[in-house]
Amino acid sequence: MIRNNKLRDNPHNNVPEGSRVTCRTAVKGSPGFTSGQHYWEVSLRMSDRVDVKQSWWLGVTAAREIPNDYNFTPNTSNGFWFLSSSPDRADSFQVSTEPKFCFAFSERPSKVGVYLDYDKGEIYFYNVVEKSLIGSLAVTFTGEVFPLFNSGRGDTSPMEILLREEPNQSSNNAEPPEKTSDGTGQNQSSNNAGSLMETSDGTGQNQCSENVGCGGETAEAS
């Protein structure tokens, strides 16, 4: 349900998928993109009196229509590139790659920024309040992609789109939070944006536990 740039989860509990988040609650944004850099922000907390939203997806999709099928599994191989949050994962976000890959976090963000660099094939996810990089996806795009939003299920707070690049703006004007790095891929400070480099040991393996990134990593999308 969408009203005044706010997306709320489906209030009906009598659905085949139960509490599981599926494409049936996903929304495709417009316009679509075939080049350039684009940035948008989403609020995941209505006020300090309610908890931060725990169930959501944010990213982009190449799908012209979102499948209305709770058995459909969206992932990078069928044109869905997104970061997801679930109450079942208390310390990590998952990206839609196959195999599954997670980015660790210490606190759920109240505001997330998505930065798409279509030409370089990169999608970055930011914790806007902390000015830090959650993680990124390396992608090869072959056609038009659209912003993807999913408000999930079971949260009090809605998902609110706060900032979008206007269609009449130059795509080169879109800017993510400031990018700073100490050259190691680690954040210098919580007051600065995270590095856009991979935090790996040089072998392509994660420094953290298997398939769980330390935060600020790049996941390769097939």
Side-chain angles (χ1 to χ4, degrees), residues 1-185:
M1 184 184 343
I2 305 175
R3 182 176 298 172
N4 298 327
N5 279 354
K6 293 182 180 180
L7 286 73
R8 293 184 180 274
D9 60 355
N10 191 330
H12 302 291
N13 295 319
N14 188 22
V15 291
E17 63 269 35
S19 60
R20 183 165 58 94
V21 180
T22 70
C23 279
R24 284 161 56 90
T25 50
V27 175
K28 185 186 75 173
S30 64
F33 309 119
T34 56
S35 64
Q37 298 80 43
H38 310 273
Y39 178 73
W40 56 95
E41 291 180 0
V42 173
S43 172
L44 302 169
R45 189 174 198 167
M46 186 168 54
S47 73
D48 292 338
R49 293 174 293 178
V50 297
D51 292 334
V52 172
K53 191 170 189 59
Q54 297 187 40
S55 177
W56 48 264
W57 300 351
L58 283 173
V60 299
T61 180
R64 291 288 174 175
E65 293 186 4
I66 305 294
N68 188 27
D69 181 359
Y70 64 87
N71 288 318
F72 177 78
T73 302
N75 55 52
T76 55
S77 65
N78 52 34
F80 289 81
W81 303 274
F82 61 87
L83 184 73
S84 67
S85 172
S86 168
D88 299 332
R89 296 190 302 274
D91 57 2
S92 65
F93 297 122
Q94 184 173 304
V95 285
S96 57
T97 54
E98 290 292 342
K100 295 177 180 177
F101 188 93
C102 295
F103 296 124
F105 67 85
S106 57
E107 185 177 355
R108 292 185 185 275
S110 59
K111 191 182 297 183
V112 172
V114 181
Y115 178 66
L116 166 68
D117 190 328
Y118 185 101
D119 303 317
K120 291 184 178 179
E122 298 168 336
I123 308 172
Y124 298 102
F125 302 98
Y126 292 94
N127 181 328
V128 176
V129 175
E130 295 296 326
K131 298 181 180 178
S132 61
L133 180 67
I134 296 170
S136 61
L137 273 169
V139 183
T140 301
F141 297 118
T142 57
E144 190 172 23
V145 297
F146 304 85
L148 177 70
F149 309 93
N150 194 327
S151 58
R153 294 190 182 279
D155 287 315
T156 302
S157 284
M159 172 186 286
E160 182 177 3
I161 303 170
L162 298 177
L163 173 66
R164 273 291 310 275
E165 179 193 349
E166 294 299 324
N168 60 353
Q169 282 185 294
S170 167
S171 60
N172 293 325
N173 289 339
E175 291 291 342
E178 180 186 359
K179 306 172 194 149
T180 56
S181 167
D182 59 5
T184 65

